Amino acid sequence: MPPSIHPVDLITALRHKHLTPAIVFLTSRRACDEAMETFDHADLVLPPARQEAIAVALERVMTQHPSIAEHPLIPIVRRVGIAAHHAGHLPSWKIAVEELMRQGHLDAVFATTTLAAGVDFPARTVVITQSSIRKSRDFTDLTIGEVQQIAGRAGRRGKDHVGFAIVTPSPYIDLMVLTKGLTGQPEAIDSQFTISYPMVLNLLKAHPHEQIQGILAKSFAQFQLNQRAELLEQKLDALHGQMEPFGPRVCTDWITQWHTFDHARRHRHTRHQTHRSESPEISARLPFLTPGRVVGLGRGRGIVLRQYRSKGQKNSMLTVLRPDNAVTECPVTSVKEVYDRTYDFAETPTYPWCSTGTFDRLSHQLEELPPRLPVLPILVSTGLEPLSDAIVQSLGDFPCPTCSSRPACQKDFTTASRLRQEQQRHTKSIQALRTSLWHRFQERVEVLQKFGYLSPATQLTADGEWARLIRIDHSLLITELIRAEAFTGADPSLLAGVLASLAHDDDRPGAFPRISPGLSSLLGQVRKLAESLSPYEDPPLLRADVAALVERWIADPTLTWIGLCRLTTMAEGDIYRLLARTLEFLSQVQALKFTHPGLAESTSHAITLIRRGVLEELP
Amino acid sequence: MTTEELEKLLAQQPVALLHRLARGRVHRHFRAGKRRLIELLLQHSSQNRAGLESDLQTLIDGQHARSDAGSSRIRRAPVIVHKKASPRGAEPDSAETAVSLSTWLEGLGVPSPQPFVPDPWQSEALSALNETDVVISVPTGSGKTYVAVEAARRAMEDNRSVIYTSPLKALSNTKYTEFSRIFGPEKVGILTGDRQENGQAPLLIMTTEILRNLLYDAASGEIDVRLDTLGLVILDESQYLADPERGVVWEETIIFCPGQARLLLLSASIGNPEDIADWLTSIRSTVCRLVRHSKRTVPLRAGYLHPNGKLTPLFRTLGIPYGHPSQLHPEATRLFHEYEEETLPAGRPRR
Ligand SMILES: Nc1ncnc2c1ncn2[C@@H]1O[C@H](COP(=O)(O)OP(=O)(O)OP(=O)(O)O)[C@@H](O)[C@H]1O
Ligand SMILES: [Mg+2]
């Protein structure tokens, strides 16, 4: 049996059951194009009247968008009434296909899942051949929301009594993901709020520093952080109740007293120096790395089973349950993220530190965790000395050995101290949740002060005043390049080339044979600066091939669109998007006309030169 | 278990189970076909065979627990499924209770033209918009555009300007054409990162980033955007709030949206629209109204198409059995099982 249905058979089956028009979602652009090719010699031709109707409709779109006239797919579209629609195509082609579909001329469109979002493109049937999609270089399972967006294209209001979502298997399919997706509730959405440099500059331009915390508090991020904090507050209330029997005794704070006494007694002989070697960041984490906590390690995630100290190890150690039921021991320093997610379980004193039932349950829960988890914001406080020598020296001065409450304290200590630790942990978490955005804002402020965009009094400096107008990705790198005069006197084509390499965030390979020495040396400079800024801003891909492509388009006004496409292996649609995004970046730089007239002029020049041919024809 | 036994047991499992097993073990396991996947699993687990075996067992047990409908968490001995002449023939869930293909295909067709009557939720949203901000979360294709258009019309009749944003330039362009046809070209303008037309029109279409920038410029008091006459801001596809890269722009836009303008958020179905509405209520001057429903206007049916061209319903029920993912049609189960068995020898990755 073939790994998946042949496109010709698929269309035949759909037509036969009157399930057209259909959108067939395929895994890749390549798959869409290859599916179209299989119709080259198929005898699925439409009756002449329908062929004619398609030709007429295409003519009409062509008058507005002449660039589609030569499109290689046109013969098949006309003859068979099917088309391909994906991000590798020019917008004009996509518009044409959408128009044909809306007018009911097509029986099927092969598309990638990018079509699922937003575009008004309904059909009677959608065909689903995959259960995962490529997201930032890797394949991830479709979410319930995504499956429903895809399936949602089926069934046109006013044109269909029912819509059909048809699953057909391929090696990429996990049927369960799809059945869950079709029958489930869409996921809750989480805030993705981040604080960028331009956001800080623009906020401080319009509002005094002391108002900012209030503005950040209006974010959905803070709303959700508050929700989590409120949950913890409820837990805290419950803990207060549980703490009641452990109130003041002979000493008011008997728990601390007993703790210190007990600790000193035990460690009188085996005192280790190691405690102090932990950095404040690590120490601040320790209270959170308790059994049941979900953490991110170098590769993948895990659930903490216990925390312990081991002789000869500089740091505290963790026993962690990893995804494949593996149990690993690692120092706390190898924890990359502490997530705001814990599982309650009863600890046991021996390996694997919990019961087998619990172990299985935790393994399962670990597998089922959503891909994205909220990170616990942890505040680092300095100067937490664990236990001073003085206390140990004065062990004889403790009242405990002779105290009348000693048996009771000894008995209750374990429970009481665990409860109190939990209280402290929750209190810290709540505090962190309430103030984490503000802390992140302050971190950004410090960087901007260091670079001189903000004064020590958090006023915008002269540079800050113009830098706040650059509100795109890699803004710090762009403003630093401008300050370093990297673009001064540069040709519009070089300027656009560099901005193109900053604007292009796709790693889909492309090839371009030659890059000019001028652009090459400028890119070298940009790369150096980007590296030096990497502690403050993620460096861009800075692909030389896309830079060279845009440089050529601007430097040579006689170059045609076809000529440009021949220079690279990039798809037409990608080249178009590259140029459009470069235009966006250029227009941001153009906004600096009052402070950097020379640069702005060069930018306007580049903008005028980019807008020609296909780029002028299209919106 | 010997390697051979393990391999055999793996080969008898549905590929979905293997993928679950491969999570965290095999990088990019979704690219591998069944046979390759088994190879990779065995390779990966050469150090930790016990882990693989126990996971496999758990998954197999899990499947049985599910099909037994009892959730007993008792471990079983390995279950070796043998190839049957008529697989699953003796299963209790025989075809009688499941929908037939002909029923499933019934009623397909084009409804006769109906006069346009707004849905109750559309009217509800429009009247709520007179008083407050509104969040709409309804399935794809329900008719959110109608609400946007009517709301925009009312605001403009009131001499207030309207801003409509979408996350995608392509969508902005489509809406520009559509709204120009509805309201007349002189009433509609568009601003995207690289296109500006009719920027003084009362109804402006833009990408959300552009609106965010306008709001920042207005806050620092330097450009004259007619924000004082702004009566309505429509954010289409607001489920983009959860986009890892761009979501923040929706938050900024909502935080800085002028107080006198009404906010209308249009979103596909999401899990927690009430959180969005509560959030708006907490930061804006009026109590935000949430309009939501999850019922599709055109009912949906799901099918399974076998590579040999055979079509069958995917679920036992005619419609989608919401909340019951395992109510698969016995015929679909049988065919999919067959598919997995048969693609085994040829199951190399296609790419
Ligand atoms: N009350 C109604 N009665 C009949 N048809 C309607 C009604 N409201 C909207 N429609 C039609 O439903 C179709 C889908 O509407 P629309 O594009 O607004 O959906 P949407 O909710 O925006 O979907 P998407 O999630 O894809 O953006 C349109 O063809 C529209 O004319
Ligand atoms: Mg819509």
Side-chain angles (χ1 to χ4, degrees), chain B residues 29-53:
Chain B
H29 55 95
F30 271 104
R31 293 190 155 189
K34 187 164 182 178
R35 186 206 250 172
R36 177 88 185 114
L37 199 53
I38 292 172
E39 259 173 47
L40 290 170
L41 277 170
L42 289 172
Q43 232 171 47
H44 172 87
S45 313
S46 55
Q47 302 300 320
N48 184 7
R49 271 281 294 281
L52 182 75
E53 284 177 23

PDB file of all heavy atoms in Angstrom, chain B residues 29-53:
ATOM      1  N   HIS B  29      10.864  12.491  15.609  1.00  0.00           N
ATOM      2  CA  HIS B  29      10.338  11.167  15.321  1.00  0.00           C
ATOM      3  C   HIS B  29       9.185  11.206  14.334  1.00  0.00           C
ATOM      4  O   HIS B  29       8.911  10.229  13.665  1.00  0.00           O
ATOM      5  CB  HIS B  29       9.900  10.484  16.622  1.00  0.00           C
ATOM      6  CG  HIS B  29       8.911  11.275  17.427  1.00  0.00           C
ATOM      7  ND1 HIS B  29       7.575  11.066  17.332  1.00  0.00           N
ATOM      8  CD2 HIS B  29       9.090  12.282  18.317  1.00  0.00           C
ATOM      9  CE1 HIS B  29       6.963  11.898  18.153  1.00  0.00           C
ATOM     10  NE2 HIS B  29       7.842  12.661  18.759  1.00  0.00           N
ATOM     11  N   PHE B  30       8.539  12.380  14.194  1.00  0.00           N
ATOM     12  CA  PHE B  30       7.397  12.430  13.295  1.00  0.00           C
ATOM     13  C   PHE B  30       7.794  12.310  11.833  1.00  0.00           C
ATOM     14  O   PHE B  30       6.975  12.120  10.964  1.00  0.00           O
ATOM     15  CB  PHE B  30       6.574  13.699  13.519  1.00  0.00           C
ATOM     16  CG  PHE B  30       5.542  13.456  14.550  1.00  0.00           C
ATOM     17  CD1 PHE B  30       5.688  13.942  15.832  1.00  0.00           C
ATOM     18  CD2 PHE B  30       4.447  12.679  14.244  1.00  0.00           C
ATOM     19  CE1 PHE B  30       4.742  13.667  16.788  1.00  0.00           C
ATOM     20  CE2 PHE B  30       3.501  12.401  15.189  1.00  0.00           C
ATOM     21  CZ  PHE B  30       3.637  12.884  16.475  1.00  0.00           C
ATOM     22  N   ARG B  31       9.077  12.444  11.609  1.00  0.00           N
ATOM     23  CA  ARG B  31       9.515  12.308  10.221  1.00  0.00           C
ATOM     24  C   ARG B  31       9.741  10.856   9.843  1.00  0.00           C
ATOM     25  O   ARG B  31       9.955  10.554   8.684  1.00  0.00           O
ATOM     26  CB  ARG B  31      10.812  13.072  10.024  1.00  0.00           C
ATOM     27  CG  ARG B  31      10.600  14.549  10.155  1.00  0.00           C
ATOM     28  CD  ARG B  31      11.828  15.236   9.709  1.00  0.00           C
ATOM     29  NE  ARG B  31      11.474  16.567   9.268  1.00  0.00           N
ATOM     30  CZ  ARG B  31      12.308  17.380   8.658  1.00  0.00           C
ATOM     31  NH1 ARG B  31      13.520  16.982   8.396  1.00  0.00           N
ATOM     32  NH2 ARG B  31      11.924  18.570   8.296  1.00  0.00           N
ATOM     33  N   ALA B  32       9.754   9.994  10.825  1.00  0.00           N
ATOM     34  CA  ALA B  32      10.113   8.610  10.538  1.00  0.00           C
ATOM     35  C   ALA B  32       8.875   7.769  10.288  1.00  0.00           C
ATOM     36  O   ALA B  32       7.837   7.957  10.913  1.00  0.00           O
ATOM     37  CB  ALA B  32      10.907   8.049  11.703  1.00  0.00           C
ATOM     38  N   GLY B  33       8.990   6.854   9.353  1.00  0.00           N
ATOM     39  CA  GLY B  33       7.932   5.879   9.138  1.00  0.00           C
ATOM     40  C   GLY B  33       8.027   4.808  10.207  1.00  0.00           C
ATOM     41  O   GLY B  33       8.918   4.836  11.059  1.00  0.00           O
ATOM     42  N   LYS B  34       7.106   3.852  10.153  1.00  0.00           N
ATOM     43  CA  LYS B  34       7.010   2.923  11.267  1.00  0.00           C
ATOM     44  C   LYS B  34       8.286   2.097  11.473  1.00  0.00           C
ATOM     45  O   LYS B  34       8.810   2.020  12.571  1.00  0.00           O
ATOM     46  CB  LYS B  34       5.822   1.991  11.038  1.00  0.00           C
ATOM     47  CG  LYS B  34       5.561   1.099  12.242  1.00  0.00           C
ATOM     48  CD  LYS B  34       4.187   0.487  12.168  1.00  0.00           C
ATOM     49  CE  LYS B  34       3.925  -0.364  13.398  1.00  0.00           C
ATOM     50  NZ  LYS B  34       2.588  -0.939  13.403  1.00  0.00           N
ATOM     51  N   ARG B  35       8.778   1.542  10.386  1.00  0.00           N
ATOM     52  CA  ARG B  35       9.909   0.653  10.553  1.00  0.00           C
ATOM     53  C   ARG B  35      11.143   1.399  11.041  1.00  0.00           C
ATOM     54  O   ARG B  35      11.841   0.980  11.951  1.00  0.00           O
ATOM     55  CB  ARG B  35      10.226  -0.040   9.238  1.00  0.00           C
ATOM     56  CG  ARG B  35      11.305  -1.069   9.437  1.00  0.00           C
ATOM     57  CD  ARG B  35      12.054  -1.292   8.185  1.00  0.00           C
ATOM     58  NE  ARG B  35      11.764  -2.608   7.643  1.00  0.00           N
ATOM     59  CZ  ARG B  35      12.169  -3.004   6.465  1.00  0.00           C
ATOM     60  NH1 ARG B  35      12.832  -2.161   5.689  1.00  0.00           N
ATOM     61  NH2 ARG B  35      11.884  -4.199   6.037  1.00  0.00           N
ATOM     62  N   ARG B  36      11.363   2.553  10.454  1.00  0.00           N
ATOM     63  CA  ARG B  36      12.509   3.372  10.846  1.00  0.00           C
ATOM     64  C   ARG B  36      12.381   3.777  12.317  1.00  0.00           C
ATOM     65  O   ARG B  36      13.345   3.803  13.067  1.00  0.00           O
ATOM     66  CB  ARG B  36      12.552   4.604   9.954  1.00  0.00           C
ATOM     67  CG  ARG B  36      13.631   5.591  10.285  1.00  0.00           C
ATOM     68  CD  ARG B  36      14.935   5.272   9.562  1.00  0.00           C
ATOM     69  NE  ARG B  36      15.979   6.167  10.006  1.00  0.00           N
ATOM     70  CZ  ARG B  36      17.046   5.782  10.677  1.00  0.00           C
ATOM     71  NH1 ARG B  36      17.218   4.506  10.945  1.00  0.00           N
ATOM     72  NH2 ARG B  36      17.952   6.653  11.065  1.00  0.00           N
ATOM     73  N   LEU B  37      11.155   4.059  12.701  1.00  0.00           N
ATOM     74  CA  LEU B  37      10.895   4.479  14.059  1.00  0.00           C
ATOM     75  C   LEU B  37      11.293   3.377  15.037  1.00  0.00           C
ATOM     76  O   LEU B  37      11.910   3.620  16.071  1.00  0.00           O
ATOM     77  CB  LEU B  37       9.403   4.786  14.185  1.00  0.00           C
ATOM     78  CG  LEU B  37       8.947   5.644  15.347  1.00  0.00           C
ATOM     79  CD1 LEU B  37       9.729   6.936  15.395  1.00  0.00           C
ATOM     80  CD2 LEU B  37       7.463   5.969  15.182  1.00  0.00           C
ATOM     81  N   ILE B  38      10.946   2.148  14.678  1.00  0.00           N
ATOM     82  CA  ILE B  38      11.288   1.019  15.548  1.00  0.00           C
ATOM     83  C   ILE B  38      12.799   0.883  15.648  1.00  0.00           C
ATOM     84  O   ILE B  38      13.365   0.736  16.719  1.00  0.00           O
ATOM     85  CB  ILE B  38      10.651  -0.276  15.013  1.00  0.00           C
ATOM     86  CG1 ILE B  38       9.136  -0.175  15.172  1.00  0.00           C
ATOM     87  CG2 ILE B  38      11.194  -1.491  15.731  1.00  0.00           C
ATOM     88  CD1 ILE B  38       8.357  -1.295  14.508  1.00  0.00           C
ATOM     89  N   GLU B  39      13.457   1.013  14.492  1.00  0.00           N
ATOM     90  CA  GLU B  39      14.916   0.961  14.479  1.00  0.00           C
ATOM     91  C   GLU B  39      15.497   1.998  15.424  1.00  0.00           C
ATOM     92  O   GLU B  39      16.348   1.699  16.265  1.00  0.00           O
ATOM     93  CB  GLU B  39      15.413   1.317  13.074  1.00  0.00           C
ATOM     94  CG  GLU B  39      15.812   0.149  12.206  1.00  0.00           C
ATOM     95  CD  GLU B  39      16.103   0.669  10.790  1.00  0.00           C
ATOM     96  OE1 GLU B  39      16.817   1.688  10.639  1.00  0.00           O
ATOM     97  OE2 GLU B  39      15.584   0.054   9.864  1.00  0.00           O
ATOM     98  N   LEU B  40      14.999   3.223  15.284  1.00  0.00           N
ATOM     99  CA  LEU B  40      15.532   4.321  16.082  1.00  0.00           C
ATOM    100  C   LEU B  40      15.279   4.093  17.567  1.00  0.00           C
ATOM    101  O   LEU B  40      16.131   4.376  18.408  1.00  0.00           O
ATOM    102  CB  LEU B  40      14.893   5.645  15.636  1.00  0.00           C
ATOM    103  CG  LEU B  40      15.327   6.144  14.264  1.00  0.00           C
ATOM    104  CD1 LEU B  40      14.470   7.321  13.820  1.00  0.00           C
ATOM    105  CD2 LEU B  40      16.792   6.575  14.305  1.00  0.00           C
ATOM    106  N   LEU B  41      14.077   3.580  17.869  1.00  0.00           N
ATOM    107  CA  LEU B  41      13.741   3.338  19.270  1.00  0.00           C
ATOM    108  C   LEU B  41      14.687   2.315  19.879  1.00  0.00           C
ATOM    109  O   LEU B  41      15.190   2.496  20.982  1.00  0.00           O
ATOM    110  CB  LEU B  41      12.298   2.831  19.377  1.00  0.00           C
ATOM    111  CG  LEU B  41      11.216   3.911  19.360  1.00  0.00           C
ATOM    112  CD1 LEU B  41       9.842   3.281  19.223  1.00  0.00           C
ATOM    113  CD2 LEU B  41      11.285   4.752  20.621  1.00  0.00           C
ATOM    114  N   LEU B  42      14.931   1.257  19.131  1.00  0.00           N
ATOM    115  CA  LEU B  42      15.808   0.219  19.645  1.00  0.00           C
ATOM    116  C   LEU B  42      17.229   0.748  19.807  1.00  0.00           C
ATOM    117  O   LEU B  42      17.907   0.502  20.796  1.00  0.00           O
ATOM    118  CB  LEU B  42      15.797  -0.993  18.708  1.00  0.00           C
ATOM    119  CG  LEU B  42      14.485  -1.784  18.727  1.00  0.00           C
ATOM    120  CD1 LEU B  42      14.472  -2.837  17.637  1.00  0.00           C
ATOM    121  CD2 LEU B  42      14.279  -2.436  20.095  1.00  0.00           C
ATOM    122  N   GLN B  43      17.641   1.517  18.806  1.00  0.00           N
ATOM    123  CA  GLN B  43      18.975   2.101  18.846  1.00  0.00           C
ATOM    124  C   GLN B  43      19.129   2.973  20.088  1.00  0.00           C
ATOM    125  O   GLN B  43      20.045   2.824  20.868  1.00  0.00           O
ATOM    126  CB  GLN B  43      19.127   2.996  17.628  1.00  0.00           C
ATOM    127  CG  GLN B  43      20.345   2.731  16.810  1.00  0.00           C
ATOM    128  CD  GLN B  43      20.220   3.538  15.529  1.00  0.00           C
ATOM    129  OE1 GLN B  43      19.894   4.724  15.557  1.00  0.00           O
ATOM    130  NE2 GLN B  43      20.463   2.906  14.411  1.00  0.00           N
ATOM    131  N   HIS B  44      18.148   3.853  20.245  1.00  0.00           N
ATOM    132  CA  HIS B  44      18.228   4.817  21.332  1.00  0.00           C
ATOM    133  C   HIS B  44      18.255   4.122  22.682  1.00  0.00           C
ATOM    134  O   HIS B  44      18.894   4.580  23.613  1.00  0.00           O
ATOM    135  CB  HIS B  44      17.048   5.772  21.284  1.00  0.00           C
ATOM    136  CG  HIS B  44      16.969   6.665  22.472  1.00  0.00           C
ATOM    137  ND1 HIS B  44      17.632   7.863  22.530  1.00  0.00           N
ATOM    138  CD2 HIS B  44      16.356   6.512  23.667  1.00  0.00           C
ATOM    139  CE1 HIS B  44      17.426   8.419  23.699  1.00  0.00           C
ATOM    140  NE2 HIS B  44      16.645   7.618  24.420  1.00  0.00           N
ATOM    141  N   SER B  45      17.524   3.011  22.762  1.00  0.00           N
ATOM    142  CA  SER B  45      17.342   2.409  24.069  1.00  0.00           C
ATOM    143  C   SER B  45      18.347   1.325  24.364  1.00  0.00           C
ATOM    144  O   SER B  45      18.189   0.564  25.311  1.00  0.00           O
ATOM    145  CB  SER B  45      15.934   1.847  24.182  1.00  0.00           C
ATOM    146  OG  SER B  45      15.027   2.797  23.725  1.00  0.00           O
ATOM    147  N   SER B  46      19.392   1.230  23.548  1.00  0.00           N
ATOM    148  CA  SER B  46      20.350   0.158  23.799  1.00  0.00           C
ATOM    149  C   SER B  46      20.909   0.268  25.213  1.00  0.00           C
ATOM    150  O   SER B  46      21.256  -0.724  25.827  1.00  0.00           O
ATOM    151  CB  SER B  46      21.465   0.189  22.762  1.00  0.00           C
ATOM    152  OG  SER B  46      22.050   1.468  22.745  1.00  0.00           O
ATOM    153  N   GLN B  47      20.976   1.506  25.743  1.00  0.00           N
ATOM    154  CA  GLN B  47      21.481   1.691  27.106  1.00  0.00           C
ATOM    155  C   GLN B  47      20.401   1.418  28.153  1.00  0.00           C
ATOM    156  O   GLN B  47      20.678   0.946  29.232  1.00  0.00           O
ATOM    157  CB  GLN B  47      21.976   3.134  27.294  1.00  0.00           C
ATOM    158  CG  GLN B  47      23.058   3.550  26.339  1.00  0.00           C
ATOM    159  CD  GLN B  47      24.298   2.681  26.478  1.00  0.00           C
ATOM    160  OE1 GLN B  47      24.692   2.321  27.576  1.00  0.00           O
ATOM    161  NE2 GLN B  47      24.896   2.305  25.345  1.00  0.00           N
ATOM    162  N   ASN B  48      19.186   1.780  27.814  1.00  0.00           N
ATOM    163  CA  ASN B  48      18.125   1.723  28.815  1.00  0.00           C
ATOM    164  C   ASN B  48      16.938   0.941  28.279  1.00  0.00           C
ATOM    165  O   ASN B  48      15.856   1.482  28.072  1.00  0.00           O
ATOM    166  CB  ASN B  48      17.731   3.163  29.207  1.00  0.00           C
ATOM    167  CG  ASN B  48      16.707   3.184  30.318  1.00  0.00           C
ATOM    168  OD1 ASN B  48      16.377   2.145  30.897  1.00  0.00           O
ATOM    169  ND2 ASN B  48      16.189   4.361  30.607  1.00  0.00           N
ATOM    170  N   ARG B  49      17.166  -0.330  28.064  1.00  0.00           N
ATOM    171  CA  ARG B  49      16.119  -1.174  27.498  1.00  0.00           C
ATOM    172  C   ARG B  49      14.935  -1.296  28.440  1.00  0.00           C
ATOM    173  O   ARG B  49      13.775  -1.268  28.041  1.00  0.00           O
ATOM    174  CB  ARG B  49      16.692  -2.568  27.204  1.00  0.00           C
ATOM    175  CG  ARG B  49      17.271  -2.661  25.825  1.00  0.00           C
ATOM    176  CD  ARG B  49      16.168  -2.846  24.811  1.00  0.00           C
ATOM    177  NE  ARG B  49      15.495  -4.136  24.990  1.00  0.00           N
ATOM    178  CZ  ARG B  49      15.991  -5.286  24.564  1.00  0.00           C
ATOM    179  NH1 ARG B  49      17.139  -5.320  23.939  1.00  0.00           N
ATOM    180  NH2 ARG B  49      15.336  -6.405  24.758  1.00  0.00           N
ATOM    181  N   ALA B  50      15.268  -1.407  29.737  1.00  0.00           N
ATOM    182  CA  ALA B  50      14.212  -1.601  30.722  1.00  0.00           C
ATOM    183  C   ALA B  50      13.221  -0.442  30.677  1.00  0.00           C
ATOM    184  O   ALA B  50      12.013  -0.629  30.731  1.00  0.00           O
ATOM    185  CB  ALA B  50      14.814  -1.730  32.110  1.00  0.00           C
ATOM    186  N   GLY B  51      13.776   0.765  30.530  1.00  0.00           N
ATOM    187  CA  GLY B  51      12.920   1.953  30.483  1.00  0.00           C
ATOM    188  C   GLY B  51      11.965   1.870  29.310  1.00  0.00           C
ATOM    189  O   GLY B  51      10.768   2.107  29.439  1.00  0.00           O
ATOM    190  N   LEU B  52      12.502   1.496  28.154  1.00  0.00           N
ATOM    191  CA  LEU B  52      11.674   1.411  26.953  1.00  0.00           C
ATOM    192  C   LEU B  52      10.584   0.358  27.145  1.00  0.00           C
ATOM    193  O   LEU B  52       9.408   0.602  26.862  1.00  0.00           O
ATOM    194  CB  LEU B  52      12.540   1.048  25.745  1.00  0.00           C
ATOM    195  CG  LEU B  52      11.783   0.982  24.423  1.00  0.00           C
ATOM    196  CD1 LEU B  52      11.463   2.388  23.941  1.00  0.00           C
ATOM    197  CD2 LEU B  52      12.585   0.250  23.367  1.00  0.00           C
ATOM    198  N   GLU B  53      10.990  -0.811  27.662  1.00  0.00           N
ATOM    199  CA  GLU B  53      10.015  -1.888  27.815  1.00  0.00           C
ATOM    200  C   GLU B  53       8.898  -1.484  28.768  1.00  0.00           C
ATOM    201  O   GLU B  53       7.717  -1.721  28.489  1.00  0.00           O
ATOM    202  CB  GLU B  53      10.711  -3.159  28.316  1.00  0.00           C
ATOM    203  CG  GLU B  53      11.489  -3.856  27.217  1.00  0.00           C
ATOM    204  CD  GLU B  53      12.248  -5.068  27.727  1.00  0.00           C
ATOM    205  OE1 GLU B  53      11.854  -5.624  28.770  1.00  0.00           O
ATOM    206  OE2 GLU B  53      13.236  -5.447  27.073  1.00  0.00           O
TER     207      GLU B  53
END
